[in-house]
């Protein structure tokens, strides 16, 4: 199986109706890689997921799902774009230590930042001016100290944190890196 085929199976699993992150992890634990889940057969699947989900997993790939898979694979073909799965050696080790790591991550840019020391700065989208100034200043200082600032790419505190990390990093230092985390694919 090629890397593209493996990636397509991950995307298909995560886009299967009724399969969320928790169900996907349970299936992965029981059967192995997504391709093995799809090869398991209805009766084996029905022993660990509801009948409706087992049917959805066994169903042929619809044209709409195939189009989403194709678009995602085309997106991942660009050098700066990455689809990281739990089986990927680039998947952030820190996320593997949480109770419910996302089975698939979509990344754009330098994925080596995912392994660097980091700190998250998140907050309200409707922050006060003082709150945004504080977030920007904290991010500036932390970024200049070599930490990667992680935030959610939303307006307010998140945007201020990214701005502080990028705009105020001293030149020639190992600062100025930021990672944006979103709840959906890129």
């Amino acid at each position: 199986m090629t890397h593209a085929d493996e990636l397509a199976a991950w995307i298909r699993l995560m886009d299967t109706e009724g399969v969320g992150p928790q169900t996907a992890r349970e299936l992965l634990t029981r059967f192995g890689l997504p391709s093995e889940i799809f090869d398991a057969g209805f009766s084996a699947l029905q022993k660990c997921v509801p009948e409706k989900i087992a049917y959805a997993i066994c169903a042929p790939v619809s044209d709409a799902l195939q189009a989403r898979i194709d678009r995602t694979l085309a997106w991942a073909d660009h050098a700066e774009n990455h689809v990281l799965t739990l089986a990927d050696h680039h998947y952030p080790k820190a996320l593997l230590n949480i109770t419910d790591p996302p089975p698939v991550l979509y990344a754009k840019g330098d994925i080596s930042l995912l392994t660097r020391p980091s700190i998250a700065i998140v907050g309200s989208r409707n922050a006060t001016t003082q709150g945004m100034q504080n977030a920007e200043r904290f991010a500036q200082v932390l970024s200049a100290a070599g930490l990667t600032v992680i935030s959610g790419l939303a307006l307010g505190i998140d945007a201020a944190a990214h701005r502080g990390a990028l705009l105020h990093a001293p030149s020639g230092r190992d600062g100025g890196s930021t990672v944006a985390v979103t709840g959906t694919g890129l």
Side-chain angles (χ1 to χ4, degrees):
M1 179 174 274
T2 68
H3 176 69
D5 291 338
E6 289 175 23
L7 197 50
W10 280 93
I11 297 164
R12 176 182 173 195
L13 177 65
M14 297 312 302
D15 277 7
T16 298
E17 181 144 356
V19 177
Q22 182 178 347
T23 301
R25 284 188 302 276
E26 290 169 5
L27 289 165
L28 292 164
T29 298
R30 177 101 183 236
F31 296 103
L33 294 172
S35 58
E36 295 164 331
I37 294 169
F38 292 113
D39 290 341
F42 179 78
S43 61
L45 291 167
Q46 192 179 16
K47 292 177 184 172
C48 63
V49 295
E51 183 176 303
K52 183 177 180 178
I53 296 175
Y55 276 123
I57 292 170
C58 292
V61 177
S62 69
D63 290 342
L65 176 54
Q66 188 61 54
R68 285 195 306 274
I69 292 169
D70 292 343
R71 281 192 309 271
T72 303
L73 292 175
W75 179 85
D77 256 353
H78 291 89
E80 289 289 305
N81 300 339
H82 312 276
V83 179
L84 306 175
T85 69
L86 288 170
D88 194 311
H89 69 279
H90 293 296
Y91 192 94
K93 303 293 183 255
L95 280 181
L96 292 174
N97 293 325
I98 66 173
T99 306
D100 55 351
V104 176
L105 297 173
Y106 298 88
K108 186 170 190 68
D110 181 3
I111 60 174
S112 73
L113 295 176
L114 300 173
T115 62
R116 290 185 49 195
S118 59
I119 188 163
I121 299 176
V122 295
S124 174
R125 291 176 190 225
N126 299 312
T128 64
T129 300
Q130 182 66 47
M132 289 191 290
Q133 289 170 348
N134 288 343
E136 189 169 318
R137 179 71 179 133
F138 276 120
Q140 171 189 355
V141 171
L142 294 166
S143 180
L147 292 173
T148 296
V149 174
I150 300 174
S151 198
L153 203 60
L155 297 174
I157 297 297
D158 295 18
H162 292 302
R163 226 180 3 262
L166 293 173
L167 297 178
H168 300 292
S171 61
R173 297 270 320 256
D174 190 24
S177 61
T178 185
V179 171
V181 177
T182 64
T184 60
L186 300 170

